[in-house]
C-alpha cells in the first residue's frame, strides 16, 4: 500500500459542513474494487518470453504482496502490539468516518448526546445544550461503535481521535468553558465516586434542586447569624484593673447606635460617631453606662467593647442578645468599667408598644469594686419611649410597669447589704413642665415624673390622684376629695399601684436636679443664633418631630440613705459633647465632622468621692 493510495482515500472522505447534510462515503473495499477493476481495464503489456522458473517466482511474489495487503487491512488483537514501522490500517466496511451536522441556528438536541447515568454527566450534558456565542460553526459527532479491544493508529488523527467518545464530543464544543476541566477531573480522578439516582428519584430532580437551594440558603443564613448576632471573642486584657482611694468618674449616655438600616434623617453616621466616642469620650471616665448600643445584625458593639478593653475597660455587662427568629432586637444596654465587676445581673421587660415592641428593653446591674473595702451597686435602664403621634397615656402605663419591675430588680440584688446604690439611664420621662417659654428652665416637676419617682422608690402610685392629674375633664372625685355619698373614704382612693411597703428607697435623689436646681434639657435642645432667634441645637441626628421639644429624660439617682461618710456623690451635670467645643481637635478636623454632637441625647456625668 503506497502513499498515493492513502492520499486518494483521505481526499474522498470529506466533510460537507456548510451544506448541512451527510455525504455518502466510500468504503475501503469499494476503493480496492475500483482500483483492481481499473488495473484490469488497462491494456496488457507485452511481456517477452520468460523461463518457467522465473514466471513461478513472479507469481509467488504477487501472492505474497496480496497477503501482506490483506494483513494490513486486518485490525490488531489485544495481545498484538503494532509495529511503528508498519503503516496504520484503514477502517473496515463496518466503520464510518464522521458525520457532519450544521449548527447555524442551535446546538444539536439533547437526545443526540451520549446518555449519562451519573449526576455529573447529566449536568455536563445540560451545559452543552446552552447556545453558543459563536454561531455558524459545524461540529462533528462520532458514530463509531468502537470495540473494547480495538486499537488504531492512523495518520488521520486530526479528524478521528483515538480518545473516548466523551472527550471527542467535548472537543466539538470549544465554547463550553467547563468541558476541559470536567474531563480532566474524570481522567485524573478515576476513583471519583459517582452516584446514580434511581428512576423514581430522577423524575423528581427539580424538587431535589429546590430543596438543595433552600438548604444552601438556610446554611448561609445560620452562618450569617453566627457571625453578626452572637458575641465576638475578646482578646485578653492588656492593662491591669483600676483601683482608687479618692474618686471615680461615671457617665451615662444614650449613644443612638440603632441596628443597621434604622436612621432618622439622611444618615446616623454610626461608624464615625463610634470612633469619636472611643477617641475622645472614653478616656475621660472610669465607668460608662450606654443605652441604645444595639448588637443586632452588626459588630459595632463588639468593636466598642474590644477597643474599650484595649484602653483598660476590662469588665463589661450587656443586654442579652437576640437572633432574627426572636422577632426582636436586644435591649441595647452596656456597662463598661475599669474597676472589677464582682457580680452582674440582667433582666428584660415585657414587650413595649409601638416601635419599642421590637426591642427587648430591660435593666442591668453591676457590683463594682472601687477598692478592697469600698463597692457600689450600679444600675442602668432604658424605658418605653413616647411618640408624638401615639397615645401618651398608653406609653405612661407601660413605663410605670417597667419602673415597678426595675424596683423589684434593685430590691432582689441589693436588699441584703448596705452598699450604696446608683441609678443611671434613659428613663424617657420628661421631668420638665412646659407651661411657659421654652427658653426658661423648668423648676417644677411634671406629673409623670412624680409618679415615676414614687414607683421606683417603692411608694406606689395613688390611682385616684393619677386619674385626676392625667384627665382633662373634672370628675365627682375632684370636688368631694374622694368621699362618697355616705361620707366614707372611697376604696379607689386607698388603692396604691406598684407599692412595695416591705422595701423602699426613701432617700433616692435626682442628683442632676439637685445640682442645677431645675431640670436641664437632655433631648431636643435649643440654641440662640446671632440674631437672638431660637433654633434647634441639633438637626443631624434628632428626629424632625422631636426637635426643640426641650425634654429632660435622662437621670442620675443616688440613694443617700446608703451613702456614708466614706462615699458620696458630687458634680452631677450635663455633658453636651458638642464637636465645636472639643479642645483636642483642630479647627480643620471640626469642619470635617458631619455631625455636631455625638448623639441626639446629652450625657450625664458624676463623680463618686471616697473619703
Amino acid at each position: 500500500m503506497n502513499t498515493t493510495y492513502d492520499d486518494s482515500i483521505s481526499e474522498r472522505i470529506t466533510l460537507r459542513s456548510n451544506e448541512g447534510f451527510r455525504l455518502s462515503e466510500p468504503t475501503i473495499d469499494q476503493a480496492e474494487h475500483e482500483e483492481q477493476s481499473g488495473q484490469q481495464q488497462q491494456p496488457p503489456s507485452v511481456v517477452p518470453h520468460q523461463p518457467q522458473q522465473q514466471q513461478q517466482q513472479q507469481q509467488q511474489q504477487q501472492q505474497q504482496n496480496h497477503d501482506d495487503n490483506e494483513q494490513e487491512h486486518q485490525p490488531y488483537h489485544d495481545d498484538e502490539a503494532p509495529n511503528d514501522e508498519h503503516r496504520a490500517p484503514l477502517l473496515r466496511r463496518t466503520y464510518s468516518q464522521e458525520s457532519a451536522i450544521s449548527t447555524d441556528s442551535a446546538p444539536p438536541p439533547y437526545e443526540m448526546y451520549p446518555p449519562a447515568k451519573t449526576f455529573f454527566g447529566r449536568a455536563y450534558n445540560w451545559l452543552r445544550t446552552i447556545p453558543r456565542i459563536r454561531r455558524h460553526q459545524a461540529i462533528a459527532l462520532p458514530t463509531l461503535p468502537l470495540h473494547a479491544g480495538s486499537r488504531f493508529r492512523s495518520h488521520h488523527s486530526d479528524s478521528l481521535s483515538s480518545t473516548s467518545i466523551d472527550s471527542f464530543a467535548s472537543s466539538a464544543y470549544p465554547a463550553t468553558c467547563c468541558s476541559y476541566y470536567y474531563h480532566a477531573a474524570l481522567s485524573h480522578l478515576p476513583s471519583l465516586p459517582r452516584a446514580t439516582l434511581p428512576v423514581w428519584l430522577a423524575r423528581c430532580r427539580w424538587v431535589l434542586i429546590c430543596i438543595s437551594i433552600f438548604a444552601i440558603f438556610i446554611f448561609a443564613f445560620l452562618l450569617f447569624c453566627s457571625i453578626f448576632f452572637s458575641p465576638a471573642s475578646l482578646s485578653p486584657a492588656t492593662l491591669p484593673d483600676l483601683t482608687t482611694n479618692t474618686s471615680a468618674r461615671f457617665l451615662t449616655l444614650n449613644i443612638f447606635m440603632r441596628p443597621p438600616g434604622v436612621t432618622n434623617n439622611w444618615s446616623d453616621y454610626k461608624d464615625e460617631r463610634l470612633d469619636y466616642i472611643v477617641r475622645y469620650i472614653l478616656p475621660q471616665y472610669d465607668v460608662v453606662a450606654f443605652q441604645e448600643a444595639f448588637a443586632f445584625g452588626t459588630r459595632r458593639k463588639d468593636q466598642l467593647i474590644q477597643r474599650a478593653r484595649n484602653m483598660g475597660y476590662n469588665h463589661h455587662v450587656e443586654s442579652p442578645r437576640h437572633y432574627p427568629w426572636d422577632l426582636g432586637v436586644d435591649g441595647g444596654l452596656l456597662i463598661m468599667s475599669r474597676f472589677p465587676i464582682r457580680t452582674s445581673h440582667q433582666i428584660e421587660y415585657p414587650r413595649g408598644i409601638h416601635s419599642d415592641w421590637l426591642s427587648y428593653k430591660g435593666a442591668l446591674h453591676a457590683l463594682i469594686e472601687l477598692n478592697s473595702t469600698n463597692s457600689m451597686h450600679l444600675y442602668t435602664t432604658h424605658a418605653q419611649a413616647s411618640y408624638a403621634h401615639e397615645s401618651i397615656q398608653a406609653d405612661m402605663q407601660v413605663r410605670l410597669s417597667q419602673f415597678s419591675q426595675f424596683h423589684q430588680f434593685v430590691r432582689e440584688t441589693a436588699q441584703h447589704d448596705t452598699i450604696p446604690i446608683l441609678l443611671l439611664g434613659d428613663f424617657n420621662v420628661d421631668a420638665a413642665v412646659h407651661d411657659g417659654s421654652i427658653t426658661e428652665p423648668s423648676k417644677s416637676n411634671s406629673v409623670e415624673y412624680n409618679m415615676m419617682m414614687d414607683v421606683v422608690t417603692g411608694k406606689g402610685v395613688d390611682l385616684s390622684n393619677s386619674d385626676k392629674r392625667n384627665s382633662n375633664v373634672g370628675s365627682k372625685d375632684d370636688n368631694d376629695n374622694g368621699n362618697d355619698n355616705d361620707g366614707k373614704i372611697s376604696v379607689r382612693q386607698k388603692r396604691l399601684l406598684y407599692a412595695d411597703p416591705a422595701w423602699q428607697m426613701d432617700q433616692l435623689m435626682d442628683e442632676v436636679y439637685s445640682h442645677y436646681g431645675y431640670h436641664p434639657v437632655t433631648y431636643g435642645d435649643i440654641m440662640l443664633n446671632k440674631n437672638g432667634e431660637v433654633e434647634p441645637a441639633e438637626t443631624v441626628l434628632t428626629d424632625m418631630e422631636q426637635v426643640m421639644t426641650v425634654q429632660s429624660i435622662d437621670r442620675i439617682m443616688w440613694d443617700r440613705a446608703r451613702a456614708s461618710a466614706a462615699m458620696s456623690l458630687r458634680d452631677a451635670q450635663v455633658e453636651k459633647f458638642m464637636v465645636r467645643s472639643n479642645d483636642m481637635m483642630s479647627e480643620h478636623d471640626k469642619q470635617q465632622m458631619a455631625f455636631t454632637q455625638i448623639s441626639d441625647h446629652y450625657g450625664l456625668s458624676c463623680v463618686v468621692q471616697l473619703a
Side-chain angles (χ1 to χ4, degrees):
M1 182 184 302
N2 49 25
T3 307
T4 304
Y5 176 82
D6 294 340
D7 295 338
S8 62
I9 296 299
S10 61
E11 291 176 357
R12 281 179 289 172
I13 302 176
T14 57
L15 301 178
R16 299 291 184 85
S17 58
N18 296 328
E19 296 178 1
F21 62 89
R22 177 177 178 178
L23 297 178
S24 61
E25 301 169 347
T27 61
I28 297 174
D29 294 342
Q30 292 176 355
E32 294 177 356
H33 179 69
E34 293 176 0
E35 183 177 0
Q36 291 177 3
S37 61
Q39 292 178 358
Q40 293 177 2
Q41 293 176 3
Q42 293 179 0
S45 59
V46 180
V47 181
H49 178 72
Q50 296 180 359
Q52 182 177 3
Q53 184 178 1
Q54 186 176 358
Q55 292 180 1
Q56 293 178 356
Q57 292 178 359
Q58 185 177 359
Q59 292 178 359
Q60 292 177 0
Q61 184 66 25
Q62 293 178 359
Q63 181 67 24
Q64 185 177 358
N65 293 338
H66 183 270
D67 296 338
D68 294 339
N69 191 13
E70 290 292 334
Q71 185 177 1
E72 290 177 356
H73 286 72
Q74 294 179 359
Y76 295 102
H77 298 283
D78 294 340
D79 55 351
E80 299 182 37
N83 191 357
D84 295 338
E85 297 178 356
H86 297 282
R87 296 185 182 275
L90 294 178
L91 299 178
R92 297 186 64 85
R93 183 184 302 272
T94 56
Y95 296 96
S96 62
Q97 292 292 328
E98 290 177 343
S99 61
I101 298 177
S102 174
T103 57
D104 292 347
S105 59
Y110 180 84
E111 292 78 5
M112 297 189 64
Y113 294 115
K117 297 182 180 180
T118 62
F119 173 79
F120 297 101
R122 293 170 186 259
Y124 173 65
N125 285 346
W126 178 81
L127 288 175
R128 294 196 294 177
T129 60
I130 301 176
R132 296 167 299 166
I133 299 177
R134 296 167 52 189
R135 300 183 59 184
H136 301 283
Q137 179 181 1
I139 63 172
L141 293 179
T143 58
L144 302 179
L146 298 179
H147 298 285
S150 300
R151 298 179 182 177
F152 298 95
R153 297 178 61 88
S154 174
H155 292 289
H156 308 286
S157 59
D158 295 337
S159 61
L160 182 59
S161 175
S162 60
T163 55
S164 62
I165 293 180
D166 290 337
S167 61
F168 185 87
S170 64
S171 65
Y173 270 79
T176 305
C177 60
C178 62
S179 303
Y180 171 78
Y181 302 100
Y182 173 77
H183 290 286
L186 293 182
S187 60
H188 291 82
L189 297 175
S191 60
L192 186 66
R194 302 182 182 182
T196 303
L197 295 177
V199 177
W200 64 271
L201 192 59
R203 294 175 180 174
C204 305
R205 55 184 177 271
W206 290 111
V207 178
L208 296 178
I209 293 174
C210 295
I211 294 176
S212 301
I213 295 175
F214 181 74
I216 294 174
F217 174 78
I218 293 297
F219 174 77
F221 176 73
L222 295 178
L223 181 62
F224 174 80
C225 292
S226 63
I227 295 176
F228 290 96
F229 292 89
S230 60
S233 59
L234 302 176
S235 61
T238 58
L239 298 176
D241 293 337
L242 184 64
T243 182
T244 182
N245 293 321
T246 55
S247 62
R249 290 183 57 82
F250 288 74
L251 171 70
T252 177
L253 173 64
N254 185 325
I255 61 175
F256 196 55
M257 291 287 177
R258 296 181 293 180
V262 182
T263 59
N264 278 349
N265 304 316
W266 173 254
S267 175
D268 289 346
Y269 302 99
K270 297 180 177 65
D271 295 329
E272 294 83 355
R273 293 189 294 110
L274 179 64
D275 182 72
Y276 188 98
I277 292 172
V278 173
R279 294 178 59 185
Y280 300 111
I281 305 302
L282 293 183
Q284 305 179 32
Y285 301 95
D286 302 318
V287 180
V288 294
F290 289 149
Q291 301 86 43
E292 290 194 13
F294 294 102
F296 187 87
T298 180
R299 282 299 186 194
R300 293 190 183 95
K301 189 174 186 178
D302 297 309
Q303 296 175 6
L304 174 60
I305 296 173
Q306 181 60 61
R307 296 179 65 179
R309 191 178 184 86
N310 298 334
M311 301 172 60
Y313 288 87
N314 300 332
H315 306 272
H316 76 279
V317 185
E318 61 176 319
S319 298
R321 304 203 180 189
H322 289 269
Y323 292 89
W325 48 83
D326 293 328
L327 300 180
V329 302
D330 56 289
L333 298 177
L334 176 63
I335 296 177
M336 297 189 299
S337 173
R338 300 179 189 266
F339 300 101
I341 296 179
R342 295 308 178 191
T343 184
S344 62
H345 302 86
Q346 309 92 7
I347 64 168
E348 290 182 343
Y349 302 143
R351 296 251 188 166
I353 58 177
H354 314 314
S355 299
D356 283 7
W357 184 88
L358 298 174
S359 176
Y360 288 86
K361 291 188 173 183
L364 299 180
H365 164 246
L367 179 60
I368 299 177
E369 184 181 274
L370 302 179
N371 53 41
S372 57
T373 58
N374 293 279
S375 300
M376 61 178 298
H377 290 291
L378 178 65
Y379 298 89
T380 185
T381 187
H382 188 196
Q384 167 74 40
S386 293
Y387 301 92
H389 58 281
E390 302 292 348
S391 174
I392 304 299
Q393 185 72 20
D395 297 336
M396 184 187 65
Q397 295 292 340
V398 174
R399 277 192 293 268
L400 292 179
S401 175
Q402 293 175 347
F403 295 146
S404 176
Q405 297 178 63
F406 185 52
H407 170 82
Q408 296 296 326
F409 181 56
V410 176
R411 174 183 177 179
E412 293 173 359
T413 55
Q415 66 177 342
H416 302 294
D417 54 52
T418 59
I419 299 176
I421 297 175
L422 178 63
L423 308 182
L424 309 172
D426 179 6
F427 288 74
N428 271 322
V429 173
D430 188 8
V433 177
H434 305 282
D435 54 358
S437 174
I438 60 175
T439 58
E440 296 294 331
S442 175
K443 297 183 179 180
S444 303
N445 300 334
S446 65
V447 174
E448 187 178 356
Y449 174 81
N450 292 331
M451 298 172 63
M452 176 196 70
M453 295 299 296
D454 291 341
V455 174
V456 173
T457 57
K459 297 179 181 179
V461 178
D462 189 343
L463 292 182
S464 60
N465 293 336
S466 65
D467 290 342
K468 288 185 294 183
R469 288 179 293 183
N470 290 282
S471 60
N472 297 327
V473 181
S475 62
K476 178 178 182 297
D477 293 335
D478 296 339
N479 301 324
D480 59 13
N481 295 326
N483 296 332
D484 54 13
N485 297 331
D486 297 334
K488 299 180 181 179
I489 300 177
S490 64
V491 178
R492 190 179 66 172
Q493 183 180 3
K494 296 187 296 183
R495 287 182 54 194
L496 294 177
L497 186 65
Y498 308 126
D500 186 9
W503 193 81
Q504 298 181 1
M505 294 180 288
D506 297 330
Q507 300 186 31
L508 185 67
M509 301 299 297
D510 187 341
E511 294 295 336
V512 179
Y513 178 83
S514 300
H515 176 81
Y516 289 100
Y518 60 88
H519 294 290
V521 178
T522 62
Y523 181 76
D525 199 7
I526 60 174
M527 60 181 299
L528 299 178
N529 56 20
K530 297 180 180 180
N531 300 326
E533 299 174 348
V534 177
E535 62 182 19
E538 203 280 329
T539 57
V540 178
L541 305 176
T542 307
D543 189 273
M544 290 297 102
E545 296 182 356
Q546 301 294 331
V547 297
M548 300 179 62
T549 54
V550 289
Q551 302 180 46
S552 179
I553 57 180
D554 298 276
R555 307 264 82 83
I556 292 182
M557 300 181 185
W558 176 256
D559 189 1
R560 294 186 178 181
R562 292 200 172 198
S564 60
M567 185 180 300
S568 61
L569 188 141
R570 59 179 178 85
D571 298 337
Q573 58 186 353
V574 176
E575 301 289 352
K576 295 185 177 181
F577 296 125
M578 306 297 294
V579 175
R580 62 176 179 268
S581 302
N582 190 352
D583 298 334
M584 294 181 288
M585 297 178 60
S586 63
E587 291 297 330
H588 178 267
D589 294 338
K590 294 178 183 179
Q591 296 296 330
Q592 295 299 321
M593 288 293 176
F595 48 89
T596 58
Q597 63 189 50
I598 62 175
S599 176
D600 57 345
H601 285 246
Y602 291 154
L604 300 178
S605 66
C606 64
V607 177
V608 174
Q609 185 69 43
L610 300 179

